[in-house]
Amino acid sequence: MICAAVVVSASAMAIVDFQDQEEFPYEDESFILRGGKAMYLGFLSLMGGASAYRAGSLPSKIITLGFQLFLVIVMASYTANLASLLVVKNVQTGVNSIYDAIEVGLVVCVPEAVKRTVLLNYPALKTHVFGGSTTDFARLMHAGKCDAAVIHSKRIEQLHAGAIRDIDCEAAKTGMMTEEEARCNKGRGGGERNDCSLR
């Protein structure tokens, strides 16, 4: 479609601007030479992102303006499409289901209460079973004991809101846990804890 638009625009320019000696100085004898130069200028315009024509007459100025609009639309579409591809590439983590976790070989934190059900349905799943509260999974993931977790969506909301980190920090302050256990400030790999990075 883009090539067709360039060909149509170039043909129109070669026909309309037949008296322009500046743009087509020696091509006035042959329409093939004029058409060839017009195609060259059309594709040069497409690659350069701006019109390479020097329009002399009013009809050629109108064609050039239309071609410029076409170029703007093509460039904007290309930019938007490329941006959307890059955003989608960065958003997808590669693990969107429990089957992906099995395929990749991730260790999944599973609460004791649902251990049997999970292992019956997914016997190939590598698990790290933990008892206690379902808020424990964040600490376990930051400690590197598991790569993913089977939890309720409400816990994910609390995790991303920072509520689970606050619970862990409070436990470290009151002495219920050591900083090493609570991992209040220390995340995976020794960096700062960022619960929003857990997906």
Side-chain angles (χ1 to χ4, degrees):
M1 181 175 147
I2 293 173
C3 289
V6 171
V7 169
V8 168
S9 175
S11 300
M13 188 61 75
I15 293 168
V16 170
D17 235 5
F18 66 92
Q19 292 178 341
D20 184 4
Q21 292 299 313
E22 189 176 334
E23 193 71 74
F24 302 103
Y26 54 86
E27 290 90 349
D28 52 345
E29 309 91 34
S30 169
F31 182 74
I32 294 174
L33 287 174
R34 291 175 65 79
K37 183 162 185 188
M39 295 293 170
Y40 165 74
L41 291 173
F43 282 102
L44 182 66
S45 298
L46 179 66
M47 295 300 131
S51 180
Y53 294 115
R54 284 175 291 168
S57 64
L58 180 63
S60 64
K61 288 180 182 180
I62 292 171
I63 292 171
T64 303
L65 184 63
F67 191 65
Q68 288 282 40
L69 180 63
F70 170 74
L71 289 176
V72 167
I73 291 169
V74 168
M75 296 302 169
S77 299
Y78 171 76
T79 304
N81 190 29
L82 181 62
S84 69
L85 289 173
L86 293 174
V87 167
V88 168
K89 184 179 178 183
N90 287 335
V91 167
Q92 291 179 345
T93 60
V95 180
N96 298 312
S97 70
I98 202 158
Y99 297 107
D100 290 344
I102 292 169
E103 187 177 319
V104 176
L106 299 179
V107 176
V108 178
C109 282
V110 178
E112 181 72 43
V114 296
K115 171 185 121 179
R116 183 176 172 163
T117 304
V118 170
L119 291 178
L120 279 172
N121 289 311
Y122 310 102
L125 185 67
K126 294 179 186 175
T127 61
H128 176 83
V129 179
F130 65 95
S133 171
T134 54
T135 60
D136 296 346
F137 77 94
R139 286 193 315 274
L140 295 169
M141 289 177 77
H142 283 299
K145 295 190 176 172
C146 53
D147 304 302
V150 175
I151 53 167
H152 191 276
S153 61
K154 183 180 177 186
R155 289 289 186 224
I156 295 173
E157 291 170 9
Q158 291 174 333
L159 175 75
H160 291 167
I164 293 179
R165 181 178 185 270
D166 293 344
I167 292 168
D168 293 340
C169 290
E170 188 61 34
K173 276 185 197 172
T174 59
M176 293 176 62
M177 280 188 234
T178 65
E179 170 56 38
E180 191 61 35
E181 291 171 322
R183 305 198 71 84
C184 179
N185 296 311
K186 194 162 140 187
R188 195 170 206 154
E192 186 177 345
R193 179 172 170 168
N194 178 10
D195 285 353
C196 289
S197 68
L198 301 178
R199 301 273 174 212

